[in-house]
Amino acid sequence: MKIIAFGGSNSTQSINKHLATYAASLFENAEVEVLDLNDFAMPLFSVDLEKEIGQHELAKAFLAKIASADILVISLAENNGNYSAAFKNLFDWSSRIMKEVFQQKPTLLLATSPGARGGASVLEIANNALPRYGAQIKATFSLPVFNANFNLEENKISNKELDKELQDIIKASF
């Protein structure tokens, strides 16, 4: 079983990439590939630019990575209550090539933030929208107050109750 995991942020210190990496590590007998959105940086999408340059090769590469997965683990950053610009741009370019960007892959959808809501707004938006683009969302999980509940040195959730909740979600849903 192959898992593609990524954080929906282009921050080099992405807390969502940390959460996605950790969550993917909880799947038994899985090969995990963690993507970095910086490897898929493209100019800001517009239909005019698409007409000029065509389908972007990095969007094609991203779609190929998704195609190689059995399961997706996506942890979305929340910027002003919505997707980060980096994720949205990659999503926009990719959806012009293939509407079902997430290719009917079983998906664990996550979010975290430094705040108490743990990216709840972006998680709600994505949970409603991404199935229209081929994400088979099997479960969602929000990690509030990242800095208090995640140990960066050990790259794992430090809050025992929240860690058990995520582990139970994975066992029950996948």
Side-chain angles (χ1 to χ4, degrees):
M1 165 176 54
K2 182 175 180 181
I3 295 174
I4 293 290
F6 63 90
S9 168
N10 62 347
S11 169
T12 59
Q13 304 300 314
S14 172
I15 61 178
N16 280 280
K17 185 176 177 185
H18 283 288
L19 180 59
T21 301
Y22 174 64
S25 78
L26 298 174
F27 286 79
E28 294 182 17
N29 302 315
E31 170 194 344
V32 176
E33 182 177 357
V34 179
L35 305 181
D36 185 329
L37 290 196
N38 290 300
D39 294 335
F40 302 96
M42 294 173 271
L44 188 61
F45 176 80
S46 76
V47 292
D48 294 334
L49 183 57
E50 181 187 43
K51 186 182 275 188
E52 179 184 326
I53 69 170
Q55 297 175 336
H56 203 288
E57 292 302 315
L58 291 175
K60 291 177 185 177
F62 177 73
L63 290 168
K65 292 289 186 184
I66 299 297
S68 76
D70 297 303
I71 294 173
L72 302 176
V73 176
I74 303 169
S75 187
L76 294 172
E78 183 175 288
N79 293 161
N80 298 317
N82 214 316
Y83 305 124
S84 72
F87 174 75
K88 181 68 167 74
N89 194 51
L90 176 57
F91 179 56
D92 288 345
W93 276 105
S94 298
S95 69
R96 296 291 289 193
I97 298 169
M98 175 186 294
K99 181 179 186 266
E100 291 204 352
V101 171
F102 303 103
Q103 304 172 43
Q104 298 302 317
K105 303 296 180 173
T107 302
L108 174 59
L109 187 60
L110 313 165
T112 190
S113 74
R117 289 183 31 85
S121 294
V122 73
L123 195 58
E124 181 180 351
I125 290 166
N127 195 35
N128 289 326
L130 296 188
R132 291 191 300 269
Y133 297 92
Q136 288 187 3
I137 299 173
K138 298 296 186 186
T140 63
F141 176 80
S142 170
L143 180 67
V145 195
F146 179 85
N147 296 324
N149 291 314
F150 197 92
N151 182 322
L152 283 170
E153 288 181 13
E154 296 179 11
N155 202 45
K156 65 181 274 185
I157 296 174
S158 56
N159 178 303
K160 291 185 185 332
E161 293 81 24
L162 291 170
D163 190 43
K164 183 176 181 333
E165 181 182 339
L166 177 58
Q167 290 186 37
D168 289 348
I169 285 169
I170 290 170
K171 285 178 187 163
S173 303
F174 292 93

Coordinates of all heavy atoms in Angstrom, one line a residue, residues 39-40 42 53-68 90 93-98 101 103:
D39 N 7.9 21.9 -4.4 CA 8.3 21.2 -5.6 C 7.3 21.3 -6.8 O 7.6 20.9 -7.9 CB 8.5 19.7 -5.3 CG 9.7 19.4 -4.4 OD1 10.6 20.3 -4.3 OD2 9.6 18.4 -3.7
F40 N 6.2 21.9 -6.5 CA 5.1 22.1 -7.5 C 4.7 23.6 -7.6 O 3.6 23.9 -8.0 CB 3.9 21.3 -7.1 CG 4.2 19.8 -7.0 CD1 4.5 19.3 -5.8 CD2 4.2 19.0 -8.1 CE1 4.8 17.9 -5.6 CE2 4.5 17.7 -8.0 CZ 4.8 17.1 -6.8
M42 N 4.2 27.0 -9.2 CA 3.9 27.4 -10.6 C 3.4 28.9 -10.5 O 3.0 29.4 -9.5 CB 2.7 26.6 -11.2 CG 3.1 25.1 -11.4 SD 1.7 24.1 -11.8 CE 1.1 23.6 -10.2
I53 N 0.6 29.1 -22.2 CA 1.6 28.0 -22.0 C 1.1 26.6 -22.0 O 1.9 25.7 -22.0 CB 2.4 28.3 -20.7 CG1 1.5 28.1 -19.5 CG2 3.1 29.7 -20.7 CD1 2.3 28.1 -18.2
G54 N -0.2 26.5 -22.0 CA -0.8 25.1 -21.9 C -0.8 24.5 -20.5 O -0.6 25.3 -19.5
Q55 N -1.0 23.3 -20.5 CA -1.0 22.6 -19.2 C 0.3 22.5 -18.6 O 1.3 22.2 -19.3 CB -1.6 21.1 -19.4 CG -3.0 21.1 -19.9 CD -3.4 19.6 -20.2 OE1 -2.6 18.8 -20.4 NE2 -4.7 19.4 -20.2
H56 N 0.4 22.9 -17.3 CA 1.7 23.0 -16.7 C 2.3 21.7 -16.3 O 1.6 20.8 -15.8 CB 1.6 23.9 -15.4 CG 2.9 24.5 -15.0 ND1 4.0 23.8 -14.5 CD2 3.4 25.8 -15.1 CE1 5.0 24.5 -14.3 NE2 4.7 25.8 -14.6
E57 N 3.6 21.5 -16.6 CA 4.2 20.2 -16.4 C 4.2 19.8 -14.9 O 4.1 18.6 -14.6 CB 5.6 20.1 -17.0 CG 5.7 20.2 -18.5 CD 5.0 19.1 -19.1 OE1 5.1 17.9 -18.7 OE2 4.2 19.3 -20.1
L58 N 4.3 20.8 -14.0 CA 4.3 20.4 -12.6 C 2.9 20.0 -12.1 O 2.8 19.1 -11.2 CB 4.8 21.6 -11.8 CG 6.3 22.0 -11.9 CD1 6.6 23.2 -11.2 CD2 7.2 20.8 -11.5
A59 N 1.9 20.5 -12.7 CA 0.5 20.0 -12.4 C 0.4 18.6 -12.9 O -0.2 17.7 -12.2 CB -0.5 20.9 -13.0
K60 N 0.9 18.3 -14.1 CA 0.9 16.9 -14.6 C 1.7 15.9 -13.6 O 1.3 14.8 -13.3 CB 1.5 16.8 -16.0 CG 0.7 17.5 -17.0 CD 1.4 17.4 -18.4 CE 0.6 18.1 -19.4 NZ 1.3 18.1 -20.7
A61 N 2.8 16.4 -13.1 CA 3.6 15.6 -12.2 C 2.9 15.4 -10.9 O 2.9 14.3 -10.3 CB 5.0 16.3 -11.9
F62 N 2.2 16.4 -10.4 CA 1.4 16.3 -9.2 C 0.3 15.2 -9.4 O 0.1 14.3 -8.5 CB 0.8 17.6 -8.7 CG -0.1 17.5 -7.5 CD1 0.5 17.4 -6.3 CD2 -1.5 17.6 -7.7 CE1 -0.4 17.3 -5.1 CE2 -2.3 17.6 -6.6 CZ -1.7 17.4 -5.3
L63 N -0.4 15.3 -10.5 CA -1.4 14.3 -10.8 C -0.9 12.9 -10.9 O -1.5 11.9 -10.5 CB -2.2 14.7 -12.0 CG -3.1 16.0 -11.9 CD1 -3.5 16.4 -13.3 CD2 -4.3 15.7 -11.0
A64 N 0.3 12.8 -11.4 CA 0.9 11.4 -11.5 C 1.3 10.9 -10.1 O 1.1 9.7 -9.9 CB 2.2 11.5 -12.4
K65 N 1.7 11.8 -9.2 CA 1.9 11.4 -7.8 C 0.6 10.9 -7.2 O 0.6 9.8 -6.5 CB 2.5 12.5 -7.0 CG 3.9 12.9 -7.4 CD 4.9 11.8 -7.0 CE 6.3 12.3 -7.3 NZ 7.3 11.2 -7.0
I66 N -0.4 11.6 -7.4 CA -1.7 11.2 -6.8 C -2.1 9.9 -7.4 O -2.6 9.0 -6.7 CB -2.8 12.3 -7.1 CG1 -2.5 13.6 -6.5 CG2 -4.2 11.8 -6.7 CD1 -2.4 13.6 -5.0
A67 N -1.9 9.7 -8.7 CA -2.3 8.4 -9.4 C -1.5 7.2 -8.8 O -2.0 6.1 -8.8 CB -2.0 8.5 -10.9
S68 N -0.3 7.5 -8.3 CA 0.5 6.4 -7.8 C 0.1 5.9 -6.4 O 0.6 4.9 -5.9 CB 2.0 6.8 -7.7 OG 2.2 7.7 -6.7
L90 N -2.0 25.1 -7.0 CA -1.7 23.8 -7.5 C -3.0 23.0 -7.8 O -3.1 22.4 -8.9 CB -0.9 23.0 -6.4 CG -0.6 21.5 -6.7 CD1 0.1 21.3 -8.0 CD2 0.1 20.9 -5.5
W93 N -4.4 24.6 -11.2 CA -3.7 24.1 -12.4 C -4.1 22.6 -12.6 O -4.4 22.2 -13.8 CB -2.2 24.2 -12.2 CG -1.7 25.6 -12.5 CD1 -1.3 26.5 -11.7 CD2 -1.5 26.1 -13.9 NE1 -0.8 27.6 -12.3 CE2 -0.9 27.4 -13.7 CE3 -1.7 25.7 -15.1 CZ2 -0.6 28.2 -14.8 CZ3 -1.3 26.5 -16.2 CH2 -0.8 27.8 -16.0
S94 N -4.1 21.8 -11.6 CA -4.3 20.4 -11.7 C -5.8 20.1 -12.2 O -6.0 19.2 -13.0 CB -4.1 19.7 -10.4 OG -2.7 19.8 -10.0
S95 N -6.7 20.8 -11.7 CA -8.1 20.6 -12.0 C -8.5 20.9 -13.5 O -9.4 20.5 -14.0 CB -9.1 21.3 -11.1 OG -9.0 22.7 -11.3
R96 N -7.6 21.8 -14.1 CA -7.8 22.1 -15.5 C -7.4 20.9 -16.4 O -7.8 20.8 -17.5 CB -7.1 23.4 -15.9 CG -7.6 24.6 -15.1 CD -9.0 25.0 -15.6 NE -8.8 25.5 -17.0 CZ -9.8 26.2 -17.6 NH1 -10.9 26.4 -17.0 NH2 -9.6 26.6 -18.8
I97 N -6.5 20.1 -15.9 CA -6.1 18.9 -16.6 C -7.0 17.7 -16.4 O -7.4 17.0 -17.3 CB -4.6 18.5 -16.2 CG1 -3.7 19.7 -16.5 CG2 -4.2 17.2 -16.9 CD1 -2.3 19.5 -15.9
M98 N -7.4 17.6 -15.1 CA -8.3 16.4 -14.7 C -9.2 16.9 -13.6 O -8.7 17.3 -12.5 CB -7.4 15.3 -14.2 CG -8.2 14.1 -13.6 SD -7.1 12.9 -12.9 CE -6.2 12.3 -14.4
V101 N -9.1 15.6 -9.5 CA -7.7 15.7 -9.1 C -7.3 14.6 -8.2 O -6.2 14.1 -8.3 CB -7.5 17.1 -8.4 CG1 -6.1 17.2 -7.8 CG2 -7.7 18.2 -9.4
Q103 N -8.7 11.6 -7.8 CA -8.7 10.4 -8.5 C -9.4 9.2 -7.7 O -9.0 8.1 -7.8 CB -7.3 10.0 -9.0 CG -6.7 11.1 -9.9 CD -5.3 10.9 -10.3 OE1 -4.9 9.8 -10.6 NE2 -4.5 11.9 -10.2

